Amino acid sequence: MVDSSDITKLPNELLAKIFVTYKNLDNSNPGWSWKPDASPPWLQVMLVCRQWRAIALATTPLWTTISLGLRRTDFDEDDSINDSERVQGASRWLDLVIPRTASATLEIVFKRKAVAVAILPGLIRTQAHRISRISVPQEDAPGKLSDLANIIEDVSFPALEELYMSLAQYSTAHIAVPAEAVWPASHRVGAAIIPSHFPALRRLLLAQTILNGTSTPLFQQLTLLELEYCAFAPDSHQHLHNFLGAIELCQNVTHQHLSMVMSMRGNQPPADISPKVIRLPKLVALTLRDTPAYTSWFLSSIALTLDVNLFVSGMVEGPVGPNDVPALFAALLPADLSTIPHLRASTCGYVCQADVMDNMLLIHGTNIHLYLEFLCAQPLMSLHSCLIAFGALFAGASITRLQVHGQLGGGVRDTPSWVDFLAGFPLIEDLEIGWCGSLLGLVCALGRSPLPTSDGKPEDAYKGVIVCPKLESIKLDGQSWQAAGFVESLVSVLRRRSARGLQGWKRLNVIVHEAIGEELKEAADFYEEELALFVDEFCYECIRWDD
């Protein structure tokens, strides 16, 4: 048994490190409540004994990351606290903390923009020389945001490495194209981020901000750039011209995120602006979130390598049908797909029909992630249309691992559709199919080959090369199982594959609803010996889904 008094024998330096670790864990937990007149939970270590209190007070790193205007969580508003109370609490906290930070650099994180508007100007005037990080959230702020913009322009920040700021007076969850329809000029504030004032700045995150020409030279020194709903000029032509010029300066940027920036002034790129090829040698991650017209336009101007992790999300207006989905995915990328080397080089694939509440469809390859986000209420799209899109874009790729996940009511039920899709990827070794309706059609497809012609006879489906000839592992997770005939069909497929000289499977994992679990188990037990001839490891999980 360890004597509790042993902890008092720890060196002060080690206790200080433990306190800092606890504080960092505490700050990463969004679930705790800190009201304006309360203390953050990590301060409880100071109540243990005089020694611990003295150590905490003397440990500068405990005090240098200052979060102000906290609410109950990062997502839920605490209506019992108004902004004036938060400002008062933040002021009192600063009076306590600042003296304990000595001359160390400070990280200032605001959880409420209204608190930032009230507190930050005064804090900057006295502490700008040692602030290394400023974070101001995107949300409504009835105060004078021009005060923030003015002091950012007027003061030098020799130690500032990261700036995250939104200068829109009103935020909204609504998205529209062009984006300026949501944030009219009267609700946005311009900012002149003068490079000479920010010699150490490396990470810039700006939202709902108007950038003028004096700011863009700063992009040369950045390693991370995130822009959301930012404008570079009043009209569409000049906005895009200045935008491309700014991006071309990002020669040291490794991570770049551009959300609804290009479409800020219009929903289509002007026909007379042809993007030039821009090379960003240090880029490792690029995220684009805009209309398909703009994502394809921008990607045609960027020289991409396989090392770049690419995320492309297309914002789609108006109702569309399932037959439109393949064309919409294709519209995210340039017409010349050879400029996107990720497609052919992909070895892993993922197709997902997201929940209807998310209004999203997605297909992924290796280091490339493509999304469609629908701005209006959208009926559940067919997973079949996503498979067609994936098959067209990743044609010729050496896919060895494939995951397909659907949703209730939107699965692929017919065998020919599965056959046509899987035939395009003959190197698949690991296949995972989940929530795609009845999977009996898929199982049957694994024993067939594609028809040589559209008018081929049904019996021709058993004469060609069977799909997925290299398949080794398969996982089936279905919400609409039909136990009757499933195991029988599975055994028949395995027989047919074996007769064609194909290897058996190393693993078959089946996840079923408890309502048919026993029925499926009885059938599997009946064919146990024959299944063992073709499958090294056969297992199933019986689970219950809540209604």
Side-chain angles (χ1 to χ4, degrees):
M1 172 137 347
V2 177
D3 188 347
S4 61
S5 63
D6 288 347
I7 197 169
T8 64
K9 299 176 183 178
L10 293 176
N12 289 353
E13 295 80 4
L14 181 55
L15 281 171
K17 290 182 179 179
I18 293 173
F19 295 166
V20 172
T21 300
Y22 174 49
K23 179 214 174 181
N24 292 338
L25 291 173
D26 200 28
N27 285 344
S28 66
N29 177 14
W32 55 268
S33 172
W34 178 14
K35 295 186 178 182
D37 295 323
S39 300
W42 65 264
L43 284 182
Q44 294 174 5
V45 301
M46 298 175 63
L47 304 178
V48 174
C49 63
R50 291 180 180 178
Q51 179 196 10
W52 284 26
R53 177 181 174 82
I55 294 171
L57 290 174
T59 304
T60 299
L62 285 174
W63 310 96
T64 53
T65 300
I66 307 172
S67 295
L68 301 169
L70 290 173
R71 50 198 181 192
R72 184 167 296 277
T73 74
D74 285 338
F75 306 100
D76 300 321
E77 199 65 52
D78 187 348
D79 294 329
S80 65
I81 306 171
N82 58 43
D83 285 333
S84 64
E85 290 178 305
R86 285 192 171 91
V87 171
Q88 293 173 12
S91 297
R92 286 192 295 269
W93 182 240
L94 280 174
D95 291 341
L96 290 171
V97 170
I98 291 297
R100 293 166 183 160
T101 60
S103 59
T105 56
L106 305 176
E107 296 186 19
I108 312 297
V109 179
F110 290 94
K111 298 296 184 179
R112 291 285 292 178
K113 187 183 287 185
V115 176
V117 172
I119 297 290
L120 189 55
L123 184 62
I124 286 176
R125 290 188 181 94
T126 60
Q127 307 296 333
H129 63 286
R130 63 188 184 114
I131 298 177
S132 64
R133 179 188 175 204
I134 296 175
S135 177
V136 178
Q138 297 186 51
E139 61 180 10
D140 292 355
K144 292 184 178 180
L145 285 170
S146 57
D147 292 346
L148 280 182
N150 291 337
I151 200 164
I152 290 293
E153 294 178 14
D154 297 339
V155 177
S156 293
F157 296 83
L160 191 67
E161 298 178 0
E162 177 176 310
L163 175 63
Y164 173 35
M165 184 170 292
S166 167
L167 289 179
Q169 187 149 15
Y170 299 101
S171 67
T172 177
H174 178 65
I175 299 173
V177 180
E180 65 178 349
V182 180
W183 286 283
S186 59
H187 291 170
R188 295 193 304 272
V189 176
I193 305 176
I194 302 171
S196 60
H197 289 183
F198 298 86
L201 191 65
R202 296 296 180 267
R203 299 179 296 278
L204 179 62
L205 304 89
L206 292 178
Q208 305 150 321
T209 303
I210 302 173
L211 289 163
N212 60 35
T214 60
S215 302
T216 52
L218 184 74
F219 289 15
Q220 298 178 82
Q221 66 193 55
L222 300 177
T223 59
L224 181 148
L225 175 65
E226 291 193 17
L227 300 177
E228 297 187 9
Y229 302 96
C230 290
F232 287 80
D235 67 272
S236 179
H237 280 73
Q238 195 61 41
H239 165 67
L240 289 177
H241 181 270
N242 293 352
F243 164 75
L244 288 177
I247 296 301
E248 193 171 12
L249 295 175
C250 297
Q251 296 298 299
N252 293 307
V253 167
T254 59
H255 293 75
Q256 191 172 90
H257 178 112
L258 306 172
S259 178
M260 303 300 285
V261 176
M262 291 172 284
S263 61
M264 194 69 188
R265 301 302 193 193
N267 58 4
Q268 291 283 341
D272 56 345
I273 295 185
S274 298
K276 53 186 176 181
V277 176
I278 298 173
R279 301 186 184 278
L280 304 177
K282 297 184 179 180
L283 191 66
V284 298
L286 173 62
T287 299
L288 299 177
R289 185 170 180 259
D290 218 305
T291 66
Y294 274 109
T295 61
S296 59
W297 179 83
F298 182 78
L299 288 172
S300 67
S301 72
I302 296 291
L304 293 172
T305 66
L306 289 173
D307 296 329
V308 177
N309 204 356
L310 181 62
F311 299 81
V312 184
S313 185
M315 315 305 291
V316 180
E317 289 189 295
V320 298
N323 293 335
D324 300 319
V325 168
L328 287 172
F329 270 115
L332 296 176
L333 304 176
D336 183 5
L337 294 181
S338 65
T339 61
I340 311 294
H342 307 65
L343 298 174
R344 283 291 184 92
S346 289
T347 58
C348 298
Y350 179 67
V351 182
C352 181
Q353 170 196 28
D355 189 272
V356 65
M357 297 299 294
D358 292 336
N359 262 1
M360 183 182 295
L361 301 173
L362 50 149
I363 57 177
H364 298 175
T366 304
N367 280 2
I368 181 168
H369 315 262
L370 306 177
Y371 305 82
L372 292 178
E373 296 183 55
F374 300 97
L375 303 184
C376 61
Q378 192 70 36
L380 188 65
M381 287 295 180
S382 167
L383 180 64
H384 185 206
S385 61
C386 292
L387 295 181
I388 293 175
F390 184 92
L393 291 176
F394 290 88
S398 300
I399 302 294
T400 59
R401 186 172 190 273
L402 179 67
Q403 294 176 281
V404 180
H405 284 200
Q407 287 294 331
L408 181 64
V412 180
R413 298 177 181 273
D414 60 309
T415 296
S417 294
W418 282 115
V419 172
D420 292 341
F421 172 69
L422 294 174
F425 304 101
L427 301 181
I428 292 176
E429 299 174 359
D430 187 350
L431 182 62
E432 179 177 328
I433 309 292
W435 287 76
C436 296
S438 173
L439 294 179
L440 188 60
L442 167 69
V443 171
C444 294
L446 293 174
R448 298 190 183 186
S449 55
L451 294 176
T453 61
S454 59
D455 58 351
K457 299 177 181 179
E459 56 267 25
D460 292 338
Y462 302 101
K463 296 179 180 179
V465 177
I466 290 180
V467 298
C468 300
K470 297 184 178 295
L471 189 62
E472 296 181 351
S473 176
I474 181 169
K475 179 179 180 180
L476 304 175
D477 181 356
Q479 89 288 356
S480 181
W481 281 96
Q482 295 175 354
F486 173 78
V487 177
E488 292 84 348
S489 297
L490 176 63
V491 171
S492 177
V493 165
L494 289 169
R495 289 173 185 158
R496 190 175 302 125
R497 293 176 67 89
S498 178
R500 293 291 189 87
L502 299 183
Q503 62 182 0
W505 297 338
K506 294 180 179 179
R507 179 178 176 83
L508 171 60
N509 186 14
V510 177
I511 301 176
V512 299
H513 191 281
E514 65 175 3
I516 65 166
E518 286 302 318
E519 184 179 351
L520 186 68
K521 183 178 183 303
E522 289 178 5
D525 290 343
F526 182 80
Y527 287 98
E528 180 179 7
E529 293 185 4
E530 192 163 9
L531 282 172
L533 296 175
F534 307 116
V535 180
D536 294 342
E537 181 182 356
F538 173 67
C539 61
Y540 71 95
E541 300 174 46
C542 187
I543 62 176
R544 177 180 181 178
W545 291 291
D546 294 331
D547 294 332

